[in-house]
């Protein structure tokens, strides 16, 4: 328990898209909804009135304990009246330590332990240790020493601040191995908040590609229950990409810094005031000034006006990013936005090198269609997932373009070729080659493609003897294939042995349910073209693969609730399959491995074992009635 009786910070997951998340966490002075930004406030210089910032939706802010402590009157006042009263804000306030000042101006006069103690004493909601800033030009050895010294400083404050929220910066310069090490070390420490530090020079130099390496490596090796903050990362141009890579929080001094330099922030970059002819209609300045009037304002007044515009631009972009996650279109937003600057495009290409990593956190399906723009889209996590599925199936024959209809595979192909053959067939979705059995499944049916069958695509001519007896039945092959994808190889044959009854809709021609003598085993979901298990189906899967695939084992208390249909919460998960894909069906079992329910996972296996708050599985079927 911390000073005001709140628990330590822990992330609650609300919406997701791959590594991007909308979540929330509590601090002693209230909740923060993520992704969010902490504007930097200089306690000596109030550029914008608190009311103006609150009106933009400011929920939290960051200030610098070093600056406060160096100013005797201010120091005395915060120690007497508390930080929140002096700043004039009763929401969450984070404090930084002076690390950045020591990077810019050389050594600072304070030590780590007294720096943290001061922050805790004045009532900071998140206090930061005096970490060692690693610059991009550090040698590996220098950066490595900084990582271990920073970790030592975390240990050093454990006695002072057991109950407080401490930010443990992840350092390591541009070396992914060090970022990994630092993220792991910090996640094993008492730090409840994880900023990625030492990135300001890279942000200033548009070195976004290296930032992709740093952010992804830091994120993947951090505890998912702790918010990840990008120190100094609040430029609207890069925020969407950072959130896509798992960043939850930003801070920004740039709204004032740019204002001082007569520069304006826009969603896709920065402009000089002197070049501006029109103030955009969305700007809070639009109704107050013409561009000419703005240029002729006195220095102080102009700075305030530009700072207001800049902060507004940041909040506007954050709102867009959050909305994009809710509709699950952030990926395509970032993909489009990458075209606005070659450095961003380079960084977006770099993300593709990590598609196999992001794929593990990528939902089985999304609310919104998959947009296929060009060959880069084929390297996306969904492209990689399909490639992975295909790789496990051996050799594939390319279906001739004449059988690849926009609405799916031509029935003639299925009856004449597929069902008289035992080969694997694939068809194009842009440049993604998709196994024939996935023609109804996400992202295929739910895609919008710039060129569904590329001009360069040539199918394989493949003759079969149509007079021969039919050797297989497409609907049965399809459900077996999907079961293998969703529940592990061998699941298809076990769930759907020869003789199962497949109900097909007369209206749509689509598979609806699959039954055996005991009842329904699975249904095919209309919205994503994947299988949903019943308890009968779940029991069959539970007996396969040593009982571990798609399994979520919960406490006895939770099992009692889940067995009557109530959701599984993260904190009651005892153990789970690490390979669970978000939105896939999972088996909820009790401590004795008895199946109590089947439902839809809201998180990946990795996340299930790390989050401690929120809903993990929504139950679809359960053993007992209420
Ligand atoms: N502000 C910007 N970068 C950093 C950093 O690396 N550490 C701390 N403590 N503050 C920062």
């Amino acid at each position: 328990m911390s000073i005001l009786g709140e628990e330590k910070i822990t992330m609650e997951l609300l919406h997701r898209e791959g590594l991007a998340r909308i979540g929330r966490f509590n601090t002693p002075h209230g909740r923060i909804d993520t992704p969010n930004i902490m504007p930097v406030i200089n306690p000596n210089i109030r550029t914008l009135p608190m009311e103006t910032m609150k009106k933009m939706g400011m929920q939290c802010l960051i200030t610098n304990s070093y600056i406060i402590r160096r100013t005797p009157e201010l120091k005395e006042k915060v120690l007497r009246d508390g930080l929140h009263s002096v700043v004039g804000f009763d929401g969450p306030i984070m404090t930084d330590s002076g690390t950045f000042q020591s990077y810019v101006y050389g050594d600072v006069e304070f030590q780590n332990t007294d720096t943290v103690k001061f922050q805790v004493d004045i009532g900071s909601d998140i206090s930061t240790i005096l970490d060692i800033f690693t610059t991009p030009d550090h040698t590996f050895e220098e950066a490595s020493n900084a990582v271990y010294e920073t970790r030592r400083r975390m240990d050093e404050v454990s006695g002072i601040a057991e109950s407080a929220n401490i930010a443990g910066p992840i350092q390591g310069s541009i070396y992914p191995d060090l970022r990994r090490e630092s993220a792991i070390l910090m996640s094993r420490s008492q730090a409840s908040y994880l900023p990625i530090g030492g990135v300001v020079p890279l942000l200033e130099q548009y070195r976004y590609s290296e930032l992709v390496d740093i952010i992804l490596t830091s994120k993947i090796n951090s505890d998912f229950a702790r918010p990840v903050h990008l120190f100094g990362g609040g430029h609207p141009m890069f925020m969407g990409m950072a959130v896509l890579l798992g960043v939850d929080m930003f801070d920004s001094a740039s709204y004032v810094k740019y204002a001082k330099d007569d520069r304006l922030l826009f969603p896709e970059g920065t402009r000089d005031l002197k070049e501006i002819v029109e103030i955009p209609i969305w700007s809070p300045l639009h109704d107050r000034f013409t561009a000419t009037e703005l240029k002729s304002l006195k220095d102080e007044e102009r700075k305030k006006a530009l700072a207001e515009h800049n902060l507004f631009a940041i909040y506007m972009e954050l709102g867009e990013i959050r909305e994009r996650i809710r509709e699950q279109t952030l990926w395509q937003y970032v993909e489009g936005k990458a075209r606005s600057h070659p450095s961003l495009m380079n960084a977006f290409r770099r993300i593709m090198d990590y598609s196999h990593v992001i794929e593990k956190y990528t939902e089985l399906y999304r609310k919104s269609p998959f947009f296929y723009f060009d060959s880069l889209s084929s390297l996306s996590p969904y492209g990689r997932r399909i490639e992975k599925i295909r790789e496990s199936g051996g050799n594939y024959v390319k279906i001739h373009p004449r059988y690849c209809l926009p609405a799916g595979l031509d029935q003639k192909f299925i009856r004449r070729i597929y069902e008289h053959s035992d080969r694997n067939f694939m068809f194009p979705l842009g440049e993604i080659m998709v196994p024939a059995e996935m023609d109804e499944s996400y992202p295929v049916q739910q895609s919008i493609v710039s060129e569904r069958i590329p001009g360069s695509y040539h199918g394989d001519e493949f003759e079969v003897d149509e007079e021969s007896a039919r050797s297989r039945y497409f609907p049965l092959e399809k459900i077996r294939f999907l079961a293998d994808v969703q529940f592990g190889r061998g699941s298809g044959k076990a769930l759907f042995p020869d003789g199962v009854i497949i109900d097909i809709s007369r209206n749509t021609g689509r598979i609806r349910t699959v039954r055996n003598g005991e009842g329904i085993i699975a249904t095919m979901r209309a919205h994503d073209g994947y299988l949903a298990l019943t308890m009968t189906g779940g029991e069959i899967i539970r007996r396969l693969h040593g009982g571990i695939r798609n399994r979520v084992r919960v406490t006895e208390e939770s099992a009692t609730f889940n067995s009557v249909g109530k959701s599984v919460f993260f904190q009651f998960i005892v153990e789970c399959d690490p390979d669970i894909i978000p939105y896939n069906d999972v088996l909820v079992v009790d401590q004795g491995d008895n199946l109590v329910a089947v439902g839809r996972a809201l998180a990946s296996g990795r996340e299930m074992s790390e989050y401690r708050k929120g809903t993990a599985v929504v139950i679809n079927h359960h053993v007992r009635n209420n």
Side-chain angles (χ1 to χ4, degrees):
M1 300 293 270
S2 72
I3 29 176
L4 294 186
E6 285 278 343
E7 292 161 34
K8 278 213 188 173
I9 287 173
T10 189
M11 277 293 285
E12 185 180 347
L13 176 69
L14 298 173
H15 300 274
R16 62 174 303 126
E17 184 191 333
L19 286 171
R21 56 186 178 183
I22 286 190
R24 60 184 174 205
F25 61 88
N26 288 320
T27 75
H29 285 85
R31 193 181 77 203
I32 296 180
D33 297 295
T34 70
N36 215 325
I37 185 150
M38 298 170 166
V40 176
I41 305 278
N42 183 331
N44 289 317
I45 311 160
R46 292 304 176 90
T47 309
L48 291 178
M50 212 43 86
E51 279 317 304
T52 306
M53 299 172 83
K54 280 189 190 163
K55 248 172 58 196
M56 290 185 203
M58 179 179 73
Q59 219 180 9
C60 46
L61 59 85
I62 184 166
T63 188
N64 198 300
S65 68
Y66 171 73
I67 295 172
I68 297 176
R69 217 170 152 206
R70 284 187 69 204
T71 320
E73 318 82 78
L74 203 54
K75 177 183 166 185
E76 199 183 311
K77 225 161 133 197
V78 286
L79 281 171
R80 192 184 57 226
D81 302 336
L83 177 67
H84 290 76
S85 151
V86 173
V87 171
F89 181 67
D90 59 5
I93 302 183
M94 177 172 173
T95 42
D96 203 350
S97 53
T99 293
F100 194 65
Q101 283 64 28
S102 82
Y103 158 66
V104 179
Y105 308 112
D107 268 350
V108 293
E109 61 269 42
F110 303 125
Q111 303 298 309
N112 178 44
T113 46
D114 51 56
T115 295
V116 172
K117 185 167 184 317
F118 179 74
Q119 296 174 68
V120 174
D121 285 348
I122 63 177
S124 171
D125 292 284
I126 305 169
S127 307
T128 310
I129 57 167
L130 196 64
D131 51 316
I132 312 289
F133 194 97
T134 50
T135 72
D137 50 11
H138 270 167
T139 64
F140 187 89
E141 201 188 347
E142 285 166 334
S144 173
N145 290 340
V147 164
Y148 290 108
E149 173 58 14
T150 298
R151 179 61 172 89
R152 192 194 65 75
R153 292 184 179 193
M154 196 71 217
D155 284 340
E156 202 172 55
V157 301
S158 64
I160 313 168
E162 243 156 81
S163 55
N165 286 304
I166 307 290
I170 297 168
Q171 295 288 351
S173 178
I174 52 170
Y175 307 104
D177 285 351
L178 292 180
R179 292 284 177 179
R180 179 184 313 116
E181 178 74 2
S182 186
I184 293 171
L185 286 172
M186 281 304 168
S187 295
R188 287 186 190 146
S189 79
Q190 62 157 337
S192 52
Y193 193 86
L194 302 176
I196 301 174
V199 291
V200 171
L202 296 172
L203 285 159
E204 285 176 350
Q205 295 163 35
Y206 288 44
R207 289 164 69 176
Y208 298 133
S209 222
E210 287 157 282
L211 281 160
V212 167
D213 292 334
I214 290 169
I215 296 170
L216 253 169
T217 311
S218 303
K219 172 70 184 184
I220 292 297
N221 292 289
S222 292
D223 176 0
F224 272 72
R226 305 184 206 194
V228 170
H229 179 128
L230 190 67
F231 260 145
H235 194 303
M237 194 174 161
F238 185 66
M239 281 160 59
M241 192 174 278
V243 171
L244 192 70
L245 303 176
V247 169
D248 303 298
M249 294 296 299
F250 299 90
D251 62 284
S252 166
S254 61
Y255 71 105
V256 179
K257 239 168 30 194
Y258 282 89
K260 277 187 201 153
D261 294 341
D262 276 334
R263 288 168 71 72
L264 282 87
L265 296 182
F266 284 81
E268 297 192 338
T270 314
R271 290 192 174 108
D272 278 332
L273 177 61
K274 63 177 183 308
E275 308 291 346
I276 288 193
V277 177
E278 292 183 36
I279 297 175
I281 194 160
W282 52 260
S283 170
L285 309 183
H286 180 267
D287 293 341
R288 309 213 297 260
F289 310 103
T290 63
T292 315
E293 286 163 356
L294 185 59
K295 288 173 200 174
S296 62
L297 291 179
K298 289 210 184 74
D299 283 358
E300 197 53 28
E301 204 185 339
R302 200 172 66 248
K303 184 180 89 178
K304 281 183 195 294
L306 294 185
E308 186 180 342
H309 166 97
N310 288 345
L311 194 60
F312 190 93
I314 292 172
Y315 279 113
M316 190 172 78
E317 180 67 7
L318 262 176
E320 178 68 21
I321 291 168
R322 284 192 295 256
E323 202 62 13
R324 289 286 180 163
I325 302 174
R326 286 185 203 104
E327 62 185 20
Q328 298 181 316
T329 60
L330 183 65
W331 182 279
Q332 60 216 41
Y333 178 62
V334 173
E335 186 166 11
K337 202 160 169 154
R339 307 268 164 184
S340 65
H341 196 286
S343 303
L344 275 178
M345 193 63 207
N346 234 354
F348 188 70
R349 281 205 198 92
R350 190 84 185 110
I351 295 177
M352 301 308 137
D353 294 339
Y354 294 93
S355 276
H356 62 290
V357 177
I358 301 173
E359 187 267 323
K360 295 190 173 75
Y361 308 94
T362 298
E363 299 74 25
L364 190 64
Y365 62 90
R366 286 189 178 153
K367 271 189 219 166
S368 300
F370 173 73
F371 279 10
Y372 186 98
F373 292 103
D374 55 28
S375 55
L376 206 52
S377 308
S378 66
L379 304 178
S380 67
Y382 279 110
R384 292 277 192 211
R385 176 170 287 165
I386 291 172
E387 195 178 274
K388 203 166 89 178
I389 293 169
R390 237 184 34 238
E391 276 166 5
S392 65
N395 293 329
Y396 276 80
V397 175
K398 285 185 187 167
I399 296 173
H400 197 277
R402 79 171 82 93
Y403 299 121
C404 306
L405 304 176
L409 293 177
D410 188 345
Q411 286 302 308
K412 269 191 291 191
F413 158 77
I414 293 161
R415 282 194 296 269
R416 276 200 207 151
I417 299 178
Y418 185 95
E419 295 197 337
H420 288 84
S421 158
D422 60 358
R423 303 288 297 267
N424 298 320
F425 291 95
M426 58 185 181
F427 65 93
L429 174 77
E431 287 176 31
I432 305 174
M433 294 306 302
V434 187
E437 292 84 354
M438 290 182 74
D439 72 331
E440 281 182 58
S441 305
Y442 194 91
V444 181
Q445 279 280 322
Q446 302 80 354
S447 61
I448 299 176
V449 186
S450 63
E451 193 187 19
R452 186 172 190 104
I453 306 173
S456 58
Y457 177 77
H458 297 289
D460 295 320
E461 286 295 348
F462 192 78
E463 289 305 320
V464 294
D465 178 8
E466 290 173 43
E467 300 300 312
S468 69
R470 199 178 72 179
S471 63
R472 54 183 180 172
Y473 177 46
F474 187 59
L476 180 60
E477 296 302 320
K478 176 182 278 189
I479 55 177
R480 283 180 175 169
F481 186 96
L482 294 175
D484 280 5
V485 167
Q486 289 181 256
F487 310 113
R489 201 181 263 239
S491 301
K493 283 227 166 90
L495 269 179
F496 310 123
D498 293 344
V500 288
I501 304 152
I502 304 175
D503 298 314
I504 294 179
S505 159
R506 286 223 189 109
N507 289 336
T508 61
R510 289 179 163 217
I511 299 167
R512 288 210 307 229
T513 54
V514 193
R515 294 178 284 133
N516 64 13
E518 284 176 45
I520 296 175
I521 306 164
T523 57
M524 180 118 150
R525 294 189 294 232
H527 61 91
D528 69 340
Y530 286 103
L531 299 165
L533 295 171
T534 61
M535 288 299 281
T536 308
E539 188 54 35
I540 296 169
I541 297 297
R542 191 193 64 81
R543 285 191 239 117
L544 289 179
H545 315 298
I548 56 164
R549 272 298 297 248
N550 294 42
R551 178 181 71 186
V552 179
R553 192 193 280 149
V554 296
T555 62
E556 285 309 310
E557 193 190 358
S558 172
T560 313
F561 286 106
N562 310 141
S563 69
V564 294
K566 298 213 164 66
S567 299
V568 176
F569 296 117
F570 287 110
Q571 65 265 43
F572 301 121
I573 296 174
V574 176
E575 193 199 351
C576 70
D577 172 6
D579 295 325
I580 289 169
I581 294 172
Y583 296 179
N584 198 5
D585 267 18
V586 290
L587 318 178
V588 181
V589 301
D590 65 14
Q591 297 283 57
D593 278 340
N594 304 298
L595 184 69
V596 298
V598 295
R600 189 173 63 115
L602 298 186
S604 64
R606 155 94 191 269
E607 292 164 89
M608 287 220 186
S609 53
E610 294 185 7
Y611 284 124
R612 294 182 278 279
K613 207 168 178 185
T615 308
V617 183
V618 179
I619 303 302
N620 292 329
H621 301 280
H622 41 94
V623 275
R624 293 196 296 131
N625 293 321
N626 289 333

Short mmCIF file of all heavy atoms in Angstrom, two decimals, residues 96-97 99-100 128-129 131 133 169 171 197-198 200 231-232, ligand 1:
data_model
loop_
_atom_site.label_atom_id
_atom_site.label_comp_id
_atom_site.label_asym_id
_atom_site.label_seq_id
_atom_site.Cartn_x
_atom_site.Cartn_y
_atom_site.Cartn_z
N ASP A 96 10.33 13.83 -12.28
CA ASP A 96 11.59 13.31 -12.82
C ASP A 96 12.70 13.72 -11.85
O ASP A 96 12.50 14.52 -10.93
CB ASP A 96 11.82 13.83 -14.24
CG ASP A 96 12.77 12.93 -15.04
OD1 ASP A 96 13.39 12.02 -14.43
OD2 ASP A 96 12.91 13.12 -16.26
N SER A 97 13.89 13.15 -12.09
CA SER A 97 14.92 13.18 -11.06
C SER A 97 16.06 14.16 -11.26
O SER A 97 16.82 14.42 -10.34
CB SER A 97 15.54 11.79 -10.98
OG SER A 97 15.97 11.41 -12.28
N THR A 99 18.05 13.52 -14.05
CA THR A 99 18.93 12.78 -14.97
C THR A 99 19.12 13.54 -16.28
O THR A 99 20.24 13.66 -16.78
CB THR A 99 18.32 11.39 -15.26
OG1 THR A 99 18.35 10.63 -14.06
CG2 THR A 99 19.07 10.67 -16.35
N PHE A 100 18.01 14.06 -16.80
CA PHE A 100 18.10 14.74 -18.08
C PHE A 100 18.95 16.00 -17.96
O PHE A 100 19.74 16.31 -18.85
CB PHE A 100 16.70 15.05 -18.61
CG PHE A 100 16.70 15.44 -20.06
CD1 PHE A 100 17.08 14.53 -21.04
CD2 PHE A 100 16.33 16.71 -20.45
CE1 PHE A 100 17.10 14.88 -22.38
CE2 PHE A 100 16.35 17.08 -21.80
CZ PHE A 100 16.73 16.16 -22.76
N THR A 128 11.01 9.20 -9.75
CA THR A 128 11.99 8.60 -10.67
C THR A 128 13.37 8.57 -10.02
O THR A 128 13.80 9.56 -9.43
CB THR A 128 12.05 9.43 -11.97
OG1 THR A 128 10.72 9.61 -12.45
CG2 THR A 128 12.88 8.73 -13.03
N ILE A 129 14.04 7.43 -10.17
CA ILE A 129 15.40 7.35 -9.63
C ILE A 129 16.32 8.21 -10.50
O ILE A 129 15.97 8.61 -11.62
CB ILE A 129 15.94 5.90 -9.61
CG1 ILE A 129 15.90 5.27 -11.01
CG2 ILE A 129 15.17 5.05 -8.61
CD1 ILE A 129 16.70 3.98 -11.12
N ASP A 131 18.61 7.89 -12.76
CA ASP A 131 19.18 6.90 -13.66
C ASP A 131 20.34 7.49 -14.45
O ASP A 131 20.53 8.71 -14.45
CB ASP A 131 18.09 6.37 -14.61
CG ASP A 131 17.33 7.48 -15.31
OD1 ASP A 131 16.96 8.47 -14.63
OD2 ASP A 131 17.10 7.39 -16.53
N PHE A 133 21.75 8.39 -17.95
CA PHE A 133 21.29 8.63 -19.32
C PHE A 133 22.29 8.00 -20.29
O PHE A 133 23.47 8.34 -20.29
CB PHE A 133 21.20 10.14 -19.55
CG PHE A 133 20.44 10.52 -20.78
CD1 PHE A 133 19.10 10.88 -20.71
CD2 PHE A 133 21.07 10.55 -22.03
CE1 PHE A 133 18.40 11.26 -21.85
CE2 PHE A 133 20.37 10.92 -23.17
CZ PHE A 133 19.04 11.27 -23.09
N PRO A 169 13.85 3.59 -15.15
CA PRO A 169 14.11 3.76 -16.58
C PRO A 169 14.91 2.60 -17.19
O PRO A 169 15.83 2.06 -16.59
CB PRO A 169 14.89 5.07 -16.64
CG PRO A 169 14.47 5.81 -15.41
CD PRO A 169 14.33 4.74 -14.37
N GLN A 171 17.51 1.73 -19.83
CA GLN A 171 18.56 2.40 -20.59
C GLN A 171 19.25 1.37 -21.49
O GLN A 171 18.77 0.24 -21.61
CB GLN A 171 19.55 3.07 -19.62
CG GLN A 171 18.95 4.20 -18.79
CD GLN A 171 18.68 5.47 -19.62
OE1 GLN A 171 19.08 5.60 -20.77
NE2 GLN A 171 17.98 6.44 -19.01
N GLY A 197 14.36 5.30 -21.47
CA GLY A 197 15.14 6.54 -21.38
C GLY A 197 16.24 6.62 -22.43
O GLY A 197 16.47 5.68 -23.19
N GLY A 198 16.88 7.77 -22.47
CA GLY A 198 18.02 7.96 -23.37
C GLY A 198 17.66 8.05 -24.84
O GLY A 198 18.49 7.78 -25.70
N VAL A 200 15.90 10.84 -26.32
CA VAL A 200 15.65 12.20 -26.83
C VAL A 200 16.54 12.53 -28.05
O VAL A 200 16.04 13.01 -29.07
CB VAL A 200 15.77 13.25 -25.70
CG1 VAL A 200 15.75 14.67 -26.25
CG2 VAL A 200 14.63 13.06 -24.69
N PHE A 231 10.26 8.42 -22.68
CA PHE A 231 10.73 9.72 -22.17
C PHE A 231 11.00 10.71 -23.31
O PHE A 231 11.85 10.44 -24.17
CB PHE A 231 12.02 9.53 -21.36
CG PHE A 231 11.84 9.52 -19.86
CD1 PHE A 231 12.63 8.70 -19.07
CD2 PHE A 231 10.90 10.34 -19.24
CE1 PHE A 231 12.49 8.69 -17.68
CE2 PHE A 231 10.75 10.34 -17.86
CZ PHE A 231 11.54 9.52 -17.08
N GLY A 232 10.25 11.79 -23.34
CA GLY A 232 10.49 12.83 -24.35
C GLY A 232 9.83 12.55 -25.69
O GLY A 232 10.08 13.23 -26.67
N1 LIG B 1 13.99 12.67 -19.70
C1 LIG B 1 14.33 12.41 -20.98
N2 LIG B 1 15.12 11.32 -21.05
C2 LIG B 1 15.28 10.86 -19.79
C3 LIG B 1 15.99 9.74 -19.22
O1 LIG B 1 16.63 8.94 -19.91
N3 LIG B 1 15.90 9.59 -17.86
C4 LIG B 1 15.18 10.46 -17.08
N4 LIG B 1 15.13 10.24 -15.77
N5 LIG B 1 14.52 11.51 -17.59
C5 LIG B 1 14.57 11.70 -18.93
#
